[in-house]
Amino acid sequence: MARAVFAADRCTSREETFDRWTRHIRLSVSVTAPDAWTRAIPHLTALLATVTGDRWEVEFRPYNAYARPRSRPLPFGPEGYAREVALFSGGLDSLGWAAQRATVRSPHALLLVMFEERNFESLQGNVYEAVLRRSERDLRRLEQSQTVRRPRGATFTLERSTRSRGLLYAATAVHAAAAERVPVVHIPENGQLALNPPLSPARWGACSTRSVHPWMLYHLNQVIELITDRPEQGVRVVNPFAALTKGEVCQAARDAGMPREILEATLSCGTSPMRQIGRSRLPRLPHCGLCFPCLVRRSGLLHAYGEDRTPYAADPWDPSLDADLAQHWRALTRWLDTPCTVLDLVADVPLPPEAHIPDLLDVVERGREELRALVAQAPAVRRSA
């Protein structure tokens, strides 16, 4: 299902819509239990709308009887060999969780689900090898591709935004966990970026990703529950770092034995110049240094080590920087000068019924303090822009 969504997302251009963003996508998918999936449609469409910012219509039809689905499609060893499953991107958050769990001695394997990042395969591999060298248990990885190719003869250009890839990642981890009879999938993301409150009203519905937002995880778990024929064998998706800031995640990775140079070698950028072939005006480095994920990364490493030695393509406080490249920095400094309330948390995306508002506000405010420390360290010439 997630692969069908991802393919539809990539093959449907936002440029052709009235606002160059919101699309109306109709999708038909063949499944083995169409009735169960049909019951899950309200949660599924809410999930898809949350992740991509589009309107979705989904229908299900019976699976081809001649194509038999495999009951255990991803075996990694003896029955029940793996006992933990987590997503691993090669970023700071996934490194922090993997480092913590790898140092827990266990006769069972820790399975890390990875998706190859074009141009960054060696970076991801180096970070994984760093965890492997310090692991006290069997560590395994499942590497998957997120490549979508245009159908033969198609004339359209693939959509670049790929907002549904977070769902693809999560669904693949759930798939692996179900194959290994593991009841919980961990998707580690620091609480401030999981909530990702928009820095300004202009960013509602477009510029703030929601791939690990509590509302997304709530609907994902509801879908899983509704389509599982045996609830006792179901899988639940959780964010183990929901109560931590980026700086606290960096401290957790550091305390788990990860060297500083490994933390600084992770990938955090949302708009890396190395991804923008022929489009970026910045040097081709893994991190632009300007987008909101880069700014949060800077504040997290600053919090853990007192400085950040990551090579960035640019600094947001550089007075010679073009105004459009410094837009995230300007939005951030204005946002930090205003209070963040519960209304700000729900202005873009609702919160699930079990959400504890004081805890959510607390992690956002602690993250804002880390960002204020970054702003205070920056040269005044751009800080006051």
Side-chain angles (χ1 to χ4, degrees):
M1 176 65 209
R3 284 194 175 279
V5 168
F6 187 64
D9 182 15
R10 294 302 313 278
C11 293
T12 310
S13 174
R14 296 188 188 274
E15 290 294 323
E16 299 176 4
T17 62
F18 75 99
D19 59 357
R20 295 194 173 184
W21 183 261
T22 309
R23 302 164 298 183
H24 186 179
I25 301 176
R26 298 182 179 90
L27 187 62
S28 177
V29 185
S30 61
V31 293
T32 55
D35 291 341
W37 275 99
T38 299
R39 289 194 297 271
I41 282 179
H43 289 290
L44 179 62
T45 52
L47 166 63
L48 298 180
T50 300
V51 172
T52 72
D54 300 301
R55 294 187 298 140
W56 290 80
E57 290 184 34
V58 184
E59 66 176 19
F60 298 99
R61 61 185 189 276
Y63 198 84
N64 186 341
Y66 297 101
R68 297 180 181 177
R70 293 172 289 175
S71 58
R72 285 182 53 79
L74 298 171
F76 300 100
E79 181 80 19
Y81 186 74
R83 275 293 178 266
E84 292 186 61
V85 175
L87 278 181
F88 186 81
S89 65
L92 275 170
D93 298 325
S94 63
L95 170 65
W97 182 249
Q100 283 187 332
R101 301 310 302 166
T103 54
V104 175
R105 293 188 178 183
S106 171
H108 299 287
L110 168 62
L111 175 62
L112 300 180
V113 178
M114 301 175 59
F115 274 78
E116 60 183 27
E117 284 277 357
R118 186 180 178 186
N119 299 323
F120 302 107
E121 295 88 350
S122 61
L123 184 151
Q124 288 179 298
N126 292 339
V127 175
Y128 173 80
E129 291 296 327
V131 178
L132 182 61
R133 286 193 296 269
R134 289 161 179 79
S135 182
E136 300 286 341
R137 61 197 295 189
D138 190 9
L139 188 66
R140 300 195 177 189
R141 59 178 168 178
L142 169 65
E143 293 182 272
Q144 297 282 286
S145 170
Q146 55 181 314
T147 301
V148 172
R149 295 181 175 87
R150 289 186 300 173
R152 182 175 298 177
T155 58
F156 61 84
T157 301
L158 290 176
E159 169 61 33
R160 298 175 58 87
S161 59
T162 66
R163 285 299 175 84
S164 63
R165 66 179 181 170
L167 173 61
L168 177 63
Y169 298 169
T172 303
V174 169
H175 190 56
E180 288 297 294
R181 306 292 189 261
V182 176
V184 177
V185 165
H186 291 108
I187 304 182
E189 178 81 57
N190 67 86
Q192 63 189 112
L193 277 185
L195 288 164
N196 206 2
L199 300 183
S200 71
R203 294 168 180 252
W204 291 351
C207 293
S208 297
T209 58
R210 310 143 171 173
S211 58
V212 197
H213 193 282
W215 186 245
M216 179 270 191
L217 295 184
Y218 166 74
H219 284 293
L220 177 59
N221 284 318
Q222 291 295 311
V223 170
I224 295 171
E225 183 177 336
L226 287 169
I227 66 172
T228 303
D229 55 354
R230 296 181 181 179
E232 70 277 5
Q233 295 183 357
V235 177
R236 184 166 182 81
V237 181
V238 300
N239 177 6
F241 284 160
L244 300 185
T245 66
K246 194 72 164 186
E248 292 162 353
V249 168
C250 290
Q251 289 176 324
R254 180 197 64 193
D255 296 344
M258 285 294 106
R260 175 177 174 174
E261 57 268 22
I262 295 299
L263 269 71
E264 292 173 337
T266 56
L267 179 65
S268 304
C269 186
T271 56
S272 170
M274 290 182 65
R275 291 195 184 102
Q276 309 295 320
I277 299 176
R279 297 169 62 94
S280 177
R281 289 165 285 169
L282 301 174
R284 294 195 68 217
L285 291 173
H287 293 92
C288 71
L290 307 174
C291 66
F292 187 55
C294 275
L295 298 180
V296 173
R297 172 196 175 87
R298 287 178 183 266
S299 70
L301 289 169
L302 175 66
H303 180 81
Y305 294 104
E307 62 176 336
D308 176 15
R309 300 179 303 195
T310 303
Y312 294 102
D315 293 322
W317 47 80
D318 184 348
S320 65
L321 201 65
D322 291 348
D324 62 325
L325 292 177
Q327 61 176 305
H328 300 285
W329 182 252
R330 293 197 306 272
L332 173 68
T333 54
R334 291 167 182 162
W335 181 61
L336 293 177
D337 286 338
T338 60
C340 184
T341 69
V342 63
L343 294 180
D344 297 292
L345 291 185
V346 300
D348 191 32
V349 181
L351 291 171
E354 69 271 17
H356 190 242
I357 303 297
D359 290 346
L360 300 181
L361 286 172
D362 183 56
V363 72
V364 170
E365 194 53 47
R366 297 201 317 274
R368 279 157 58 94
E369 285 302 311
E370 293 176 7
L371 288 163
R372 289 189 182 102
L374 174 68
V375 172
Q377 189 190 61
V381 63
R382 178 65 75 177
R383 187 169 69 243
S384 61

